[in-house]
Amino acid sequence: MAGPSNLRRRQVNQSLEPTPDTVQDDEHASEVYQDPKNRNPIEKCLETPKASIAIVSLLTALSFALRFYKINAPDEVVFDEVHFGKFASHYLRREYYFDVHPPFAKMLFGLAGWFVGFDGNFQFETIGDSYTANHVPYVGLRALPAILGSLTIPVVYAIMKESGYSTIIAAFSAAIVLFDNAHITQSRLILLDAALIFFMSLTIYAYIRFRKLRYREFSTDWWTWLITTGVFMACTWGSKVNGILTVVTIGIAVLIDLWDILDIRKNPSIDYFWRHFWARAFGLIVVPFIVYLSFFYIHFFVLVYSGPGDTFMSPAFQETLLGNEMLLSSQEIRFYDTVTFKHKESKVFLHSHVERYPLTYEDGRVSSQGQQVTGYAHNDTNNHWQIIPTKALPETGRGRIVRHNDIVQLLHVNTHSHLLTHDVASPLMPTNQEFTTWPKDDHSRHNDTLFQVVLLEGHEGQAWKSKSGYFRLIHVPTRVSMWTHSKQLPDWAFNQLEINGNKNPVEKTATWFVDSIIADENGDDPTDRDGQVPNKEPKSMNFFKKFAELQLLMLQHNAGLTASHPYASSPINWPFLLSGISFWTQNETSKQIYLIGNLVGWWTCVVALSIYVGVLGADLLARRRGLDPIPDPARNRLWNNAGFFFIVWGVHYLPFFLMNRQLFIHHYLPSHLASALIAGAVLNFVLSETINYPISIHGPSTRLRPSEYSNIGIKGPIILVFFSFMMFLMFLFIAPLTYGTPGLDGDAVNSKRLLSTWTLHFAAKKTAETV
């Protein structure tokens, strides 16, 4: 074993003279390679363009074969196809829907559906619904993610080749994704992850091509790859909400790049830095944002009819949709109208009945024993309330219309009592006020029955309307807002929802609307009073207002996905494949689809990540002691190129530890692809002391450094063949869970459960052996 004397020592008293930016500081162009001496003939053969094309063609053909194999099985709705297939239907029917993810990938599904003749009438209601019985061209829809997933393999190969790795190393990284069961499962169904991963890999590829042109800055090719990176980045973000992590990844890489450019020893002129800054701002901020906006512009342009997403949006937004109920039924509300009120979130009616609150609650608190006011989910005459004015009104005309900030009383029609709240604790929340009623002929508590109608985003004089007039009801004396929540009252209130006074007068969830106008002050139908006919023409709304409203809702609802799920898992489990997801089962045939990765590939990536971190740590310690255990070209490749892959892995993985929402193993797939790139870089480091160097495109005034080549010898092809064979065997072993066919008996299911934490269906119960 070599002693410390054999290690290179750095010259610790080196000059700090400025280094011209034209010096090739790490990697450069294939044009400067010299013919390698003493290089393995097999490796020399594999590095030829023809051999590289042959290998990537083979990888791509295998990828298509594995992802299209039995793509028609099962002929039923699988897992989240209930959502994303349904969204494709809405595009074809032009019906507005709401989803937490941006629309780009879903629009591609809609386009694919149109291309294969899907009419959009099948609604993907539940998992297990038959495609064949309903004549749905589902194979055409599934073909889109299958194509994108298949094309991801040559992109991974191209990333490694453009990064300076040999054909064998590039094929090694591609094989990890090629034979991975989780990637294959996601690519064979109507899901978003194949599009997300495809465009993420294209973003990585384009950025590497851009970085390789850094010595030809501001050239046509430089601008082309800069803008291409921005476009692919927008496509990634537009495919799925967590595509924003790819944007963050490129942002971090650009900041590191700009920090290097800012170094005065390389670039004395600050103007030079600002040229680079504004160029990147245009290519990686302005261009992606315009592309991202364009997805939503098309989204709004196509979805012009009322649909299931209406109720998520503001009244102003809903009134832009053809056939929306607000356009057809919205009416101005007048004093003495009898109406029903609905809570926007829970959709329960404001309700009251003759039963009273008990004298004491279970915790010993005392109530007012007043008439109960509750939230009731069904239509009922006890939901009828009459709006009583607190000011003088004209006999006729528009002066009798209720407007923003008006003070009113609400008369419960069946019990002839006014709505009231007071400083008595509500049944379920001691911090909130109780809501009850007070006899209308008893004026002793008149002030406690006064409420202010505050329209959301209302302006002075704005008329209150049914359906579209979202409002908060604020108690005048105490300034609490009428509110309800999901917890039910006990049996004494028939398990209805509690209505109480929330002490936050601007609480967003304390939003109500008038569902219907039952009668006017004379008891007549108010539909056509004064010849008023609802306007059926959709209204216009500024695109940027619609965009901003939808973005905010997407963020809020994505953060609100906190409900438990039987197949949710913690991020710490993902790299080790401790659990998967049951996508689909068929009891009659004992068939199932279980999302799980290829253990050989995933655990190899974990080992590679560990080695990579260990090597960098050891290198830092050695350099701290003045030693250079790794040659500069190999070190630069590890820190710069593999370091970029490591940033991709970390940014797409670590943020999930901070998220308080449902998480699943498929959220790790982008990071798994990045770990496959790192695994290739680590294998190259282990097999060869040298690298293909330089790889970047040299500029007209670049001072070139001596070139070298990776020499992994015969070991590389042998490892690639052996590793691919082991990956393929593991893939075949898990394939019945990936393709959902053939069906497995209980003992066969048990044999497929390689880890005890995998929750597979139809497993045989283990019985104790008897002696």
Side-chain angles (χ1 to χ4, degrees):
M1 184 174 178
S5 59
N6 293 330
L7 292 175
R8 294 187 301 138
R9 288 190 176 271
R10 287 184 293 143
Q11 299 297 319
V12 294
N13 293 320
Q14 293 175 351
S15 171
L16 296 178
E17 291 296 321
T19 304
D21 67 291
T22 54
V23 173
Q24 183 181 0
D25 58 359
D26 49 7
E27 306 164 308
H28 260 324
S30 57
E31 294 100 316
V32 303
Y33 285 173
Q34 301 168 358
D35 291 334
K37 297 178 181 179
N38 302 322
R39 202 176 186 195
N40 188 280
I42 295 179
E43 186 173 8
K44 288 169 62 176
C45 177
L46 290 173
E47 291 306 305
T48 62
K50 288 183 178 180
S52 182
I53 291 173
I55 288 178
V56 74
S57 298
L58 175 62
L59 292 171
T60 305
L62 284 172
S63 181
F64 272 91
L66 295 178
R67 283 149 180 80
F68 275 90
Y69 175 70
K70 290 191 176 181
I71 198 171
N72 61 323
D75 64 341
E76 298 178 357
V77 177
V78 177
F79 193 56
D80 277 351
E81 288 186 332
V82 294
H83 302 302
F84 304 121
K86 185 180 298 181
F87 298 150
S89 294
H90 290 316
Y91 279 115
L92 295 169
R93 296 169 62 89
R94 306 193 70 180
E95 297 170 338
Y96 187 79
Y97 73 89
F98 172 78
D99 182 41
V100 298
H101 297 294
F104 177 55
K106 292 172 290 185
M107 289 193 296
L108 292 180
F109 279 123
L111 184 63
W114 171 82
F115 186 78
V116 298
F118 180 41
D119 58 13
N121 290 325
F122 182 72
Q123 289 298 302
F124 300 84
E125 292 295 341
T126 56
I127 295 174
D129 286 352
S130 173
Y131 288 130
T132 304
N134 291 280
H135 308 291
V136 180
Y138 67 101
V139 172
L141 291 168
R142 287 179 177 174
L144 172 65
I147 291 170
L148 298 181
S150 300
L151 292 177
T152 300
I153 307 307
V155 176
V156 171
Y157 179 88
I159 289 171
M160 297 302 287
K161 288 294 287 184
E162 289 294 333
S163 298
Y165 297 100
S166 65
T167 299
I168 292 297
I169 298 299
F172 176 82
S173 291
I176 292 177
V177 183
L178 167 65
F179 294 115
D180 185 69
N181 299 72
H183 282 275
I184 292 172
T185 302
Q186 290 291 116
S187 299
R188 291 168 37 81
L189 302 170
I190 308 170
L191 304 174
L192 303 182
D193 295 85
L196 170 75
I197 294 168
F198 174 68
F199 287 112
M200 183 197 83
S201 61
L202 283 178
T203 304
I204 296 171
Y205 174 78
Y207 185 73
I208 289 173
R209 292 295 301 267
F210 164 71
R211 282 287 293 149
K212 288 177 65 176
L213 288 160
R214 63 189 176 279
Y215 299 109
R216 295 187 182 179
E217 56 218 351
F218 306 112
S219 64
T220 301
D221 288 345
W222 187 90
W223 277 108
T224 298
W225 285 109
L226 174 64
I227 293 174
T228 302
T229 302
V231 170
F232 286 146
M233 191 167 65
C235 292
T236 308
W237 187 10
S239 295
K240 201 171 181 182
V241 68
N242 45 318
I244 188 67
L245 298 177
T246 301
V247 178
V248 174
T249 300
I250 299 300
I252 292 173
V254 167
L255 288 176
I256 295 171
D257 184 24
L258 289 174
W259 181 254
D260 185 59
I261 294 172
L262 190 60
D263 190 345
I264 194 172
R265 294 174 298 178
K266 295 183 177 181
N267 305 297
S269 172
I270 193 66
D271 292 337
Y272 178 82
F273 167 80
W274 284 116
R275 286 181 65 197
H276 275 274
F277 177 87
W278 291 118
R280 285 161 174 77
F282 173 76
L284 300 177
I285 297 178
V286 176
V287 169
F289 187 64
I290 291 173
V291 174
Y292 187 70
L293 280 176
S294 71
F295 299 148
F296 287 89
Y297 185 86
I298 298 170
H299 177 74
F300 295 141
F301 178 80
V302 172
L303 304 180
V304 296
Y305 291 99
S306 177
D310 292 17
T311 55
F312 292 93
M313 313 310 295
S314 69
F317 191 110
Q318 292 185 49
E319 290 181 325
T320 66
L321 301 170
L322 286 166
N324 181 265
E325 189 178 17
M326 291 186 181
L327 285 172
L328 301 176
S329 308
S330 181
Q331 291 181 273
E332 292 177 337
I333 300 166
R334 304 188 179 193
F335 288 107
Y336 296 109
D337 282 351
T338 299
V339 301
T340 58
F341 298 105
K342 247 186 182 180
H343 185 243
K344 181 176 180 289
E345 301 291 332
S346 63
K347 299 298 186 292
V348 295
F349 290 96
L350 179 64
H351 177 91
S352 186
H353 40 238
V354 296
E355 283 75 16
R356 296 184 171 270
Y357 294 114
L359 175 62
T360 58
Y361 300 124
E362 291 182 359
D363 58 3
R365 291 184 295 110
V366 178
S367 79
S368 68
Q369 286 191 283
Q371 182 173 303
Q372 295 174 15
V373 174
T374 62
Y376 187 52
H378 307 287
N379 209 347
D380 187 275
T381 57
N382 278 329
N383 303 337
H384 295 177
W385 301 83
Q386 189 176 39
I387 302 168
I388 308 299
T390 60
K391 62 182 180 181
L393 300 178
E395 290 296 325
T396 59
R398 297 188 60 77
R400 301 179 70 82
I401 294 172
V402 188
R403 301 184 184 277
H404 175 57
N405 284 336
D406 275 354
I407 307 298
V408 302
Q409 291 177 299
L410 296 180
L411 176 68
H412 188 245
V413 175
N414 281 1
T415 60
H416 304 288
S417 56
H418 287 130
L419 186 69
L420 172 146
T421 185
H422 49 182
D423 192 16
V424 175
S426 69
L428 301 180
M429 293 187 172
T431 58
N432 289 14
Q433 289 187 184
E434 174 193 86
F435 263 69
T436 183
T437 65
W438 194 255
K440 73 170 185 176
D441 296 326
D442 185 344
H443 303 291
S444 62
R445 303 193 63 181
H446 172 77
N447 287 345
D448 288 334
T449 64
L450 300 181
F451 291 88
Q452 183 180 29
V453 176
V454 179
L455 300 181
L456 267 62
E457 301 181 4
H459 56 79
E460 201 61 36
Q462 180 177 338
W464 188 17
K465 292 184 177 183
S466 62
K467 303 294 184 183
S468 62
Y470 290 171
F471 71 97
R472 286 191 290 268
L473 195 68
I474 307 299
H475 190 232
V476 173
T478 62
R479 305 307 296 170
V480 300
S481 55
M482 184 172 72
W483 182 66
T484 187
H485 54 93
S486 59
K487 191 172 182 181
Q488 293 180 329
L489 290 164
D491 292 341
W492 50 257
F494 312 104
N495 301 116
Q496 295 171 15
L497 298 189
E498 179 189 45
I499 302 292
N500 65 38
N502 192 308
K503 293 185 179 179
N504 179 11
V506 293
E507 170 61 44
K508 291 182 178 180
T509 57
T511 302
W512 300 77
F513 64 94
V514 173
D515 183 59
S516 60
I517 304 176
I518 305 300
D520 62 15
E521 61 179 303
N522 300 315
D524 298 329
D525 185 353
T527 303
D528 297 321
R529 59 184 171 195
D530 299 335
Q532 180 182 342
V533 179
N535 180 17
K536 297 184 180 181
E537 289 295 321
K539 298 179 180 179
S540 62
M541 184 178 181
N542 181 275
F543 164 74
F544 291 100
K545 287 185 178 179
K546 294 172 76 172
F547 172 78
E549 179 179 332
L550 182 54
Q551 291 297 301
L552 182 60
L553 283 171
M554 287 164 55
L555 290 172
Q556 290 174 344
H557 283 266
N558 189 58
L561 297 174
T562 56
S564 61
H565 191 283
Y567 291 99
S569 55
S570 171
I572 195 65
N573 299 329
W574 297 343
F576 307 99
L577 283 180
L578 296 185
S579 63
I581 308 173
S582 176
F583 270 18
W584 171 84
T585 59
Q586 190 175 70
N587 294 331
E588 298 81 8
T589 59
S590 297
K591 294 180 180 180
Q592 63 180 309
I593 295 177
Y594 188 75
L595 178 72
I596 200 70
N598 189 310
L599 275 173
V600 174
W602 284 57
W603 287 7
T604 297
C605 290
V606 171
V607 172
L609 285 165
S610 303
I611 293 173
Y612 178 73
V613 173
V615 168
L616 293 192
D619 181 55
L620 284 173
L621 290 174
R623 294 174 69 192
R624 193 68 174 168
R625 298 303 302 164
L627 302 175
D628 270 336
I630 303 175
D632 287 342
R635 173 185 293 114
N636 289 334
R637 185 67 55 81
L638 279 176
W639 280 98
N640 297 336
N641 178 259
F644 174 58
F645 298 154
F646 190 72
I647 291 174
V648 176
W649 174 81
V651 171
H652 286 82
Y653 176 47
L654 298 179
F656 287 104
F657 285 92
L658 306 177
M659 295 183 187
N660 185 28
R661 55 148 292 173
Q662 290 176 355
L663 297 174
F664 302 94
I665 191 172
H666 60 73
H667 289 128
Y668 185 73
L669 292 180
S671 286
H672 174 260
L673 184 142
S675 68
L677 302 177
I678 295 172
V682 169
L683 180 63
N684 186 86
F685 177 79
V686 170
L687 293 181
S688 175
E689 295 181 356
T690 57
I691 62 169
N692 293 330
Y693 169 86
I695 61 164
S696 295
I697 311 301
H698 64 84
S701 59
T702 307
R703 192 167 72 233
L704 302 178
R705 291 185 176 181
S707 60
E708 62 179 56
Y709 348 82
S710 172
N711 188 12
I712 60 177
I714 192 63
K715 298 172 293 197
I718 293 175
I719 289 174
L720 173 63
V721 171
F722 176 76
F723 178 78
S724 298
F725 181 67
M726 296 302 296
M727 284 278 296
F728 185 65
L729 288 181
M730 180 59 71
F731 160 76
L732 288 178
F733 185 75
I734 306 176
L737 305 178
T738 302
Y739 294 104
T741 186
L744 303 173
D745 60 28
D747 292 331
V749 171
N750 285 338
S751 71
K752 303 298 180 188
R753 183 158 51 193
L754 298 178
L755 298 179
S756 61
T757 50
W758 293 6
T759 51
L760 302 180
H761 291 270
F762 313 123
K765 293 183 179 180
K766 295 182 178 180
T767 56
E769 294 184 4
T770 56
V771 179

